Amino acid sequence: MAKKSKKQQSGGTPATVALTAAGTPYTLHAYEHDPASPSYGEEAAEALGVSPDRVFKTLVAEVDGELTVAVVPVAGSLDLKALAAAVGGKRASMADPAAAERTTGYVRGGISPLGQRKRLRTVVDASAEAHATVCVSAGRRGLEVELSPADLAALTSAVLAPIGRS
């Protein structure tokens, strides 16, 4: 069994540990998660008082058989054809939730694009560049991390592409 760092022992997540290790500035936002909420992302935007255009959800899709992370605004949805095109693929579909959880190390509604168990190729919707900071899951329901889109792209080696739709 791997030893947990002091940050993880004190309640940090793999996402916050990765941010701290990289020396990336970020702000952590916690809120009370309601298990009955129909949308994790919209719940986060409302709880934090942040525009849904600045809160991004992390979705795991399968592009030509390879798991791929898509980070899109919670106010919209993922354009699977655009995601496939962004990574040079032909066909994309949503990944099996169990495979997404197993591969990333996070549970649905708390999947972060940061600090995943297995680093997956990542595409961030280009709309993120319009904001000074964006919020993404910090690795568990009820916890968001706010950081610059440039830092998010750099830490995940992401491609920026128009993959979201309103």
Side-chain angles (χ1 to χ4, degrees), residues 3 5 10 13 25 33-34 40 49 52 80 95 97-98 107 134 136:
K3 280 187 156 183
S5 71
S10 67
T13 66
H33 166 63
D34 176 4
Y40 300 115
L80 288 165
V107 297
V134 294
V136 296

Side-chain angles (χ1 to χ4, degrees), residues 39-46 50-59 71-79 125 127 131 135 144 163-166:
S39 168
Y40 300 115
E42 289 175 14
E43 175 192 31
E46 189 175 314
V50 174
S51 165
D53 293 339
R54 276 190 50 225
V55 179
F56 283 64
K57 56 189 169 187
T58 306
L59 303 171
V71 184
V72 297
V74 301
S77 60
L78 171 62
D79 181 334
D125 186 66
S127 69
H131 306 286
C135 296
E144 293 282 309
I163 59 167
R165 58 179 174 215
S166 306

Side-chain angles (χ1 to χ4, degrees), residues 2-161:
K3 280 187 156 183
K4 289 189 175 185
S5 71
K6 288 181 183 176
K7 184 83 173 167
Q8 287 172 311
Q9 290 169 351
S10 67
T13 66
T16 60
V17 169
L19 286 161
T20 301
T24 302
Y26 67 94
T27 304
L28 207 53
H29 299 283
Y31 62 93
E32 192 64 40
H33 166 63
D34 176 4
S37 179
S39 168
Y40 300 115
E42 289 175 14
E43 175 192 31
E46 189 175 314
L48 301 177
V50 174
S51 165
D53 293 339
R54 276 190 50 225
V55 179
F56 283 64
K57 56 189 169 187
T58 306
L59 303 171
V60 181
E62 205 172 292
V63 179
D64 297 339
E66 186 179 340
L67 291 181
T68 303
V69 172
V71 184
V72 297
V74 301
S77 60
L78 171 62
D79 181 334
L80 288 165
K81 284 185 180 184
L83 175 64
V87 295
K90 293 181 187 206
R91 188 176 176 292
S93 60
M94 293 308 296
D96 172 62
E101 289 180 345
R102 187 173 50 254
T103 304
T104 64
Y106 294 115
V107 297
R108 261 180 65 208
I111 294 178
S112 177
L114 304 159
Q116 295 179 355
R117 182 178 291 150
K118 179 182 178 199
R119 189 174 192 143
L120 300 174
R121 63 184 172 175
T122 301
V123 181
V124 175
D125 186 66
S127 69
E129 292 180 296
H131 306 286
T133 61
V134 294
C135 296
V136 296
S137 174
R140 70 172 173 255
R141 297 172 188 155
L143 194 63
E144 293 282 309
V145 63
E146 182 178 353
L147 73 166
S148 78
D151 286 339
L152 174 61
L155 287 170
T156 58
S157 301
V159 171
L160 288 156

